[in-house]
Amino acid sequence: MFFLNVIIFLFCIVTVSSKAEKWYSAAIIDRRKTLHNSSNAEFRTNYIQNNEHPFLPLMLIDPKKSNDRRTNFYSAHIFNMKSANSSSESDSVSINYNNTVENLNVLNIVRPKRTKIRKRCPVARPRQMNQLNTKQKPKTRFLEVFQVVEFDHVSCTSSSGLEGTCLPESECIDSGGSTMGTCADGYGTCCVTQFLCDGHSDADTGWFTNPDFPSPSTERLSCTFVLDKASEDITQIRLDFNNFELLPPTDGYCQDDQFIVSGQNINNVIPILCGINSGQHVYIEVGEVDGPINFTFQTVSSDSRLFAIKVTQLTSLDELAAPTGCLQYYTDTQGYLESFNYRDKSDIVIARSPSYLNNLNYAMCIERKAETCSVTYTNSGNMQIVNYDTDGLPVIPPDQAGVEILNCPSDWLLIAATRLCGDRLNDGSVFQDFTVNAPVTDNGAGPIVVWFRSDESYVGVGFKLMYQQNSCNA
Ligand SMILES: *[C@@H]1O[C@H](CO)[C@@H](O)[C@H](O)[C@H]1NC(C)=O
Ligand SMILES: *[C@@H]1O[C@H](CO)[C@@H](O)[C@H](O)[C@H]1NC(C)=O
Ligand SMILES: *[C@@H]1O[C@H](CO)[C@@H](O)[C@H](O)[C@H]1NC(C)=O
Ligand SMILES: *[C@@H]1O[C@H](CO)[C@@H](O)[C@H](O)[C@H]1NC(C)=O
């Protein structure tokens, strides 16, 4: 009966899918005290060696398995920890087991039996222990003490709130990631690749965060992260500003704090950003450069700043890829277009002063959805796009919409080839009363693009527009 205790340990087999392949790895999930006194020398060795590296990639299984995201449990009949060769119980998979983690990566694969699905971690039963003691089936003595859990490389939310990828711990560490919390019911770790100040990486995704994230950083920052292209066919980098709180601009210029992108295609202007841009995103064109691309935060004083930017490298075939030249790209049927530093909400109580920036000239693109024929824009915030004449007087009175070049000579939104500005959104097509907002509909063919331009002086709060793509039958 001593062996009963000895062998009550649980191995956990974790499968992950990488593209079409599925790897299984093993982890000790329940370390009983008696384990180290196992009479099985080989197993004891393995256990001790892998104490600090508990996930062992073991085998590749059935590349054609569907992408079912749920967790499945298999019994351990499909493999045998002891033998380098197949046993009768595990003839579908052979494991070349060397007592080093590195050597476990490459294994022979044959399609395993996949019929034995269990609902929960099975525990060794006396019958099997008897088999063990009598050594009738030494190769399969771990039968049914393994638990197989399958999970995909799905995204997960880490303990710091950043989105990560659910991976076995060892894979996360090998890929240079930080393990932040668990996923897949505790069998995986939420793996986050962090890009830090003065860092350098060629990872295809990662998070560029302030040094003290998720807390704000209060010291002065002069912080550059250098990103190499993950491969030659990377054409764009998407930045998602999960958190972006810097000091606001002064008269439309980022005089105090700056976020600067450099190294991208020479004709791709990424505005220097400051203020609050949480929730915004930008695309950077890098198809014509070899890299690296630098991301720099410069701050002037010891105030609180917070940033967490998801950096995603994209090839032109990626689903997330945007049409060339779009600084922002929206793929939903309905959504919001918002100017930079529009938000008046801070998580860290930083000084706020919503206003767009000077010298902007960029395109917000919207993916045309199937069977939609037009887009309607409505003002959904406190719009203010200002134009002053050469005498420094406003071109149009306050609380009015401006339309076309005489009203909007310097700062304007361009929707359906019409310049729009002022404190209301109204192109005059529905209501002629320019003191009220009115929906603006673009039923033009071709790419759906809203441009925004500003000159080198006079800024207003900006805009937040809701867009809605309309069905062709409407
Ligand atoms: C293992 O066995 C040794 C003696 O063989 C004993 O001193 C020790 O306490 C045992 N360890 C555990 C964890 O039971
Ligand atoms: C495994 O197979 C090889 C040849 O296929 C053989 O030489 C070796 O003895 C086998 N080992 C065991 C433990 O069965
Ligand atoms: C096991 O791994 C060690 C260290 O990497 C290596 O030297 C040895 O050749 C390996 N043995 C087998 C059988 O693969
Ligand atoms: C990027 O940063 C590195 C290191 O700070 C620097 O050597 C390089 O010149 C920078 N490249 C660009 C395009 O700013």
Side-chain angles (χ1 to χ4, degrees), residues 99-408:
N99 287 342
T100 61
V101 170
E102 292 74 28
N103 280 298
L104 287 170
N105 273 315
V106 181
L107 300 158
N108 286 345
I109 286 317
V110 199
R111 180 171 303 222
K113 293 174 193 163
R114 296 178 57 254
T115 51
K116 299 186 173 87
I117 296 178
R118 284 169 191 280
K119 285 279 182 275
R120 59 190 181 77
C121 202
V123 174
R125 287 196 287 267
R127 193 173 52 79
Q128 276 116 27
M129 295 306 111
N130 290 341
Q131 284 173 358
L132 174 74
N133 288 340
T134 59
K135 299 192 176 180
Q136 279 170 349
K137 289 186 170 181
K139 284 181 179 177
T140 58
R141 70 191 171 289
F142 298 129
L143 195 68
E144 295 204 291
V145 297
F146 297 95
Q147 177 189 40
V148 179
V149 179
E150 183 183 272
F151 59 88
D152 288 327
H153 280 189
V154 293
S155 62
C156 49
T157 303
S158 67
S159 46
S160 63
L162 303 180
E163 182 194 324
T165 307
C166 196
L167 291 180
E169 187 177 355
S170 67
E171 259 185 59
C172 179
I173 289 162
D174 290 351
S175 70
S178 313
T179 60
M180 296 190 179
T182 60
C183 53
D185 294 339
Y187 298 119
T189 57
C190 196
C191 187
V192 176
T193 305
Q194 263 190 296
F195 297 158
L196 295 170
C197 289
D198 306 320
H200 192 155
S201 173
D202 64 356
D204 53 8
T205 56
W207 286 89
F208 184 22
T209 62
N210 62 289
D212 306 296
F213 189 85
S215 301
S217 294
T218 49
E219 70 274 25
R220 248 189 91 185
L221 293 176
S222 176
C223 155
T224 296
F225 173 76
V226 178
L227 183 71
D228 282 319
K229 286 168 76 168
S231 66
E232 274 181 13
D233 54 356
I234 298 297
T235 53
Q236 293 180 330
I237 297 167
R238 179 179 162 121
L239 304 182
D240 285 284
F241 302 139
N242 214 48
N243 303 86
F244 187 117
E245 300 199 19
L246 299 183
L247 290 180
T250 308
D251 299 329
Y253 287 105
C254 293
Q255 279 180 354
D256 299 330
D257 290 0
Q258 301 186 324
F259 173 64
I260 306 161
V261 175
S262 55
Q264 73 277 25
N265 287 2
I266 192 158
N267 59 5
N268 182 236
V269 177
I270 307 294
I272 292 174
L273 297 175
C274 56
I276 298 182
N277 289 301
S278 304
Q280 300 271 13
H281 71 274
V282 298
Y283 280 83
I284 303 161
E285 298 290 337
V286 298
E288 292 158 19
V289 293
D290 296 332
I293 290 85
N294 290 3
F295 303 104
T296 303
F297 278 93
Q298 299 273 11
T299 69
V300 288
S301 56
S302 332
D303 281 288
S304 290
R305 276 92 174 183
L306 184 73
F307 58 88
I309 302 176
K310 187 180 184 194
V311 180
T312 311
Q313 302 204 38
L314 302 167
T315 70
S316 53
L317 300 176
D318 269 299
E319 205 177 313
L320 262 183
T324 305
C326 299
L327 185 66
Q328 301 192 297
Y329 185 48
Y330 298 85
T331 56
D332 293 334
T333 310
Q334 178 194 314
Y336 292 90
L337 311 179
E338 189 179 296
S339 49
F340 292 111
N341 189 38
Y342 182 84
R343 249 166 231 209
D344 193 15
K345 210 177 78 196
S346 164
D347 294 329
I348 60 169
V349 198
I350 196 171
R352 308 191 292 286
S353 167
S355 89
Y356 57 88
L357 304 168
N358 290 321
N359 297 314
L360 294 176
N361 182 356
Y362 66 92
M364 291 158 272
C365 307
I366 299 172
E367 183 183 46
R368 192 182 291 280
K369 303 308 267 190
E371 294 178 28
T372 63
C373 287
S374 63
V375 191
T376 299
Y377 302 89
T378 46
N379 187 1
S380 75
N382 178 19
M383 174 168 158
Q384 192 186 33
I385 300 173
V386 300
N387 287 272
Y388 284 78
D389 64 19
T390 44
D391 299 329
L393 296 170
V395 174
I396 54 168
D399 301 327
Q400 286 210 10
V403 187
E404 294 300 6
I405 189 166
L406 289 179
N407 287 341
C408 315

Side-chain angles (χ1 to χ4, degrees), residues 16-37:
V16 295
S17 85
S18 165
K19 304 239 161 58
E21 300 177 335
K22 284 198 188 297
W23 287 89
Y24 280 54
S25 62
I28 294 161
I29 58 171
D30 185 1
R31 293 168 185 163
R32 301 289 169 125
K33 278 199 309 242
T34 49
L35 185 59
H36 292 282
N37 280 354

Side-chain angles (χ1 to χ4, degrees), residues 47-68:
Y47 172 77
I48 291 164
Q49 282 205 343
N50 295 308
N51 218 359
E52 289 166 13
H53 205 156
F55 285 88
L56 314 177
L58 272 184
M59 53 192 154
L60 180 63
I61 287 189
D62 194 1
K64 293 194 186 66
K65 184 162 186 342
S66 77
N67 257 5
D68 186 352

